[in-house]
Amino acid sequence: MSASPKPVKVLPLPLSVELRLQQPGLDIQAQFRVLPGRVCAIVGRGGAGKSALLKAAAGLHPALGGRVALGNQAIYDSVARVNLPPHQRRLAWLDSQAHLFPHLSVQSNLEYGLARAPKPVHGPGFDAVTQWLDLRSLFKARPSRLTPAQRFKVALGRALLSAPRAILLDDPLGGVPEHDQPPLLDLLAQVPARSKLPVVLISPRMNEVIRMADDVIVLHEGRMTSGGIATQILSDVSLSTFLEGANAGSVIEGEVKRHDIEWLLSEVDVAGQRVTVPAALHAVGRKVRLKVRARDISLHRDLIEGSSASNQLRGRITQIMLAGENGSYGAVGIELDHLRDAGDFSIQPGVQIWALLTRKSIQQMDLAPGQPCVASFKAMSVAVSGWR
């Protein structure tokens, strides 16, 4: 009697997408690559072609040409005439609809995902996934009896149990009421580290992108306008038209250093300087991302006293972008100084914030690249997000 084949460990592979496709009134052409354990977010205005691009990668929308590959293995290649059907591409798809089988119980829906996992290759264990998502008490229920949050967790569990090679998320929390979204976003943010798989995310809610994305590409009218590391792209105010408009600003990473219980405030280290924020529900030592709107930042020549702006960060002006020759405002880029020891500042490349000022203020202060400055803003103007 022969022994049962042992599970084969398959190393995660990067997902590469280079596609051309069409939908009514829009030609779409884009390319990106996602490494295992990283999240690439596709952002842009509604109608830019984000969902169509992701569906084409999954085989759910016809493509005019291009290539989709996991490592060196093509799952779609118009030149080589490779076009695997969706179920053979092994790309987990999760959107706002959950798409659970209404005639099956929760347990049977989950087991359907497990049955799709190739043998003898095994993905995460059934018990581990259902325990992590707290689904065991729901096993006998039908999808019609579940809340939107519960349906999302079942759909996520089924996707992971199918042992996919990459995960595609198209507004996965879109069907969940806003007040139920935070704990589900916490779960979703754990997926890249747990699965070690490439993840692609589309979401209209920028807080989800800030929380999850390692890399961001911006899609505008079917074409990529920019792409790169998330904090750099999300902080590029020149892209505000395609991102958050009036809410455009800077996304910076830091580490929680202390909590002030008396005043319900927290302190976050950013480039060696301290940023005071509203009490953050994150442990000391936790990495976080801070979002500060460019219009909430003021610039000064030196530290100021007697101000309600509790945050004053030293830096140096790197660039000034005016909104047209006769525009009323301009964006000023500031690279933060890095505090090595008490009172000892040096430039730490890469940590940059933006301030949105009137053209009058820029001219009256005679601001110019290379000048030292202090960027100030109130603690209440900072939005704090966990970071994977």
Side-chain angles (χ1 to χ4, degrees), residues 172-194:
L173 298 180
V176 179
E178 185 176 352
H179 63 272
D180 288 332
Q181 290 177 5
L184 301 182
L185 181 55
D186 288 341
L187 288 174
L188 204 57
Q190 297 176 41
V191 169
R194 280 178 166 268

Side-chain angles (χ1 to χ4, degrees), residues 67-323:
R67 190 172 191 268
V68 181
L70 288 159
N72 294 322
Q73 180 186 0
I75 56 179
Y76 171 78
D77 190 322
S78 58
V79 175
R81 298 183 181 275
V82 175
N83 187 10
L84 297 184
H87 68 279
Q88 291 184 10
R89 297 192 180 194
R90 294 186 59 200
L91 304 179
W93 177 272
L94 192 62
D95 60 25
S96 61
Q97 302 303 312
H99 302 291
L100 300 179
F101 295 112
H103 62 289
L104 297 180
S105 66
V106 165
Q107 183 172 353
S108 295
N109 268 281
L110 294 168
E111 289 173 344
Y112 176 84
L114 189 63
R116 292 187 62 195
K119 307 297 185 293
V121 178
H122 292 290
F126 187 86
D127 290 340
V129 170
T130 55
Q131 182 176 354
W132 172 55
L133 294 173
D134 191 23
L135 295 176
R136 299 194 69 84
S137 63
L138 303 175
F139 274 3
K140 295 182 179 180
R142 295 290 178 90
S144 61
R145 305 297 299 271
L146 303 179
T147 67
Q150 290 170 336
R151 284 197 292 272
F152 164 81
K153 292 202 292 184
V154 175
L156 176 59
R158 185 178 64 181
L160 295 176
L161 288 170
S162 68
R165 305 301 298 276
I167 301 174
L168 309 181
L169 305 172
D170 186 5
D171 191 13
L173 298 180
V176 179
E178 185 176 352
H179 63 272
D180 288 332
Q181 290 177 5
L184 301 182
L185 181 55
D186 288 341
L187 288 174
L188 204 57
Q190 297 176 41
V191 169
R194 280 178 166 268
S195 68
K196 304 293 192 298
L197 297 175
V199 178
V200 186
L201 169 70
I202 294 175
S203 173
R205 291 168 294 281
M206 197 55 65
N207 69 301
E208 294 176 17
V209 175
I210 292 173
R211 174 67 186 276
M212 291 192 62
D214 297 288
D215 306 289
V216 170
I217 64 170
V218 182
L219 205 62
H220 177 60
E221 295 182 351
R223 295 292 189 274
M224 286 178 56
T225 62
S226 189
I229 296 173
T231 51
Q232 295 178 0
I233 300 300
L234 297 177
S235 300
D236 189 343
V237 293
S238 68
L239 298 172
S240 61
T241 301
F242 312 129
L243 298 175
E244 294 187 279
N247 291 317
S250 303
V251 177
I252 51 181
E253 295 177 357
E255 180 180 310
V256 178
K257 286 299 183 182
R258 66 180 292 267
H259 298 295
D260 188 333
I261 304 301
E262 180 181 0
W263 297 107
L264 297 180
L265 298 170
S266 299
E267 290 184 4
V268 177
D269 180 283
V270 175
Q273 302 190 57
R274 293 295 176 92
V275 177
T276 301
V277 301
L281 300 178
H282 304 288
V284 171
R286 175 75 185 274
K287 300 292 185 182
V288 294
R289 280 179 170 174
L290 309 180
K291 171 66 185 293
V292 188
R293 294 196 313 171
R295 61 179 56 233
D296 290 333
I297 294 179
S298 299
L299 294 188
H300 313 275
R301 292 294 187 189
D302 211 334
L303 297 175
I304 56 176
E305 297 182 0
S307 170
S308 63
S310 55
N311 293 304
Q312 299 189 52
L313 305 182
R314 292 181 180 272
R316 194 170 302 270
I317 296 174
T318 57
Q319 58 181 309
I320 298 175
M321 298 188 301
L322 296 177

Side-chain angles (χ1 to χ4, degrees), residues 323-343:
E325 197 171 313
N326 300 308
S328 62
Y329 66 93
V332 181
I334 306 101
E335 193 159 44
L336 298 183
D337 293 345
H338 182 73
L339 178 60
R340 295 181 298 186
D341 301 305

Side-chain angles (χ1 to χ4, degrees), residues 320-332 355-367:
I320 298 175
M321 298 188 301
L322 296 177
E325 197 171 313
N326 300 308
S328 62
Y329 66 93
V332 181
L356 198 61
L357 308 178
T358 64
R359 187 164 56 91
K360 178 180 179 181
S361 294
I362 292 172
Q363 291 185 358
Q364 287 185 341
M365 293 182 69
D366 196 23
L367 299 180

